[in-house]
Amino acid sequence: MPSYVTDANLNSYQLAFCGAVAGVMSRFVVAPLDVVKIRMQLQNHRTGFGFGSTPHAPIKYTGVLHSLKTIFKEEGIRGWYKGNVPAEYLYLSYSAIEFWTYKELETLIDGMDPEQKVPRVTKTFVSGMVAGSVATTLTYPFDLLRTRFAVQGDTKHYTGIYQAMKSIYTSEGMPGFYPGIRPALVQIMPYMGLLFATTHDMLSGALSGIFSKTAVYPIDVVRKRLQVQGPYLTNYVIQSTKYQSDSWWQCMKLSLYKGLIPSLIKVAPANAVTFLVFEETKKILVAL
């Protein structure tokens, strides 16, 4: 019983290729908004859901357009694409692993339910949830690098992917590549489950992405704040704020929805492009 995402004429590796192409294209489209979202998430002030704010530090990024203009003025167009190389690796490998795992799980579950007694939406939700968790775990170091590159100021602690990985391993060991992995998995399971269960075309991909992202967004804020702890802390974005890896509450108490607007603006085109490119690439492979 192939779903909208998979296809009976394509195997898991072909679908992984489709996912990789879709991931790369999606990342290129939303890169500037991703940088804005990350920097807004890491600012050290409270937000008031449009009813004002109680600042604990100067607010540098106050809105999407203002943030884009500020980054462009201070860092040029390259500032919009900081962290783009590890992010492209992340989106490529994440999408490939996710769609490969989804296909394998769908086949496995259908084999265990030959009479199709389990509702289709349940199968797609479970498959999407597990596929997202596997992809997140395997590609998390790229997510970490994407975040740390995106928040670098004038002082470049990390100058390249290899240098960054070597620096993190030397100063933090293997655990240094996985700060925030627990909230990341808690976030991704319902998010990807809902996304796969409700996606049937480009429009529903965009709408389901907005709904899912809003539901789990506070955990994304926690993940980003945990990712920038460690020896690399002092920069003009996070104001040297430290968060204990086992204290989610400490990370959440400043603001649960900081950076939500650029995140929502980003998630609609990101998911729309992902599923559009995925579907078109799939059609090409089927035709070939």
Side-chain angles (χ1 to χ4, degrees), residues 22 28 41-42 65 120 127-128 131 210 212 258-259 282 287:
F28 181 79
Q41 284 180 323
L42 299 178
L65 292 179
R120 177 180 175 277
S127 296
I210 291 175
S212 303
K258 191 176 295 180
K282 189 173 74 173

Side-chain angles (χ1 to χ4, degrees), residues 252-273:
M252 296 174 71
K253 64 183 180 181
L254 286 179
S255 180
L256 298 180
Y257 286 91
K258 191 176 295 180
L260 177 62
I261 299 302
S263 182
L264 293 182
I265 295 174
K266 181 192 80 168
V267 74
N271 285 334
V273 170

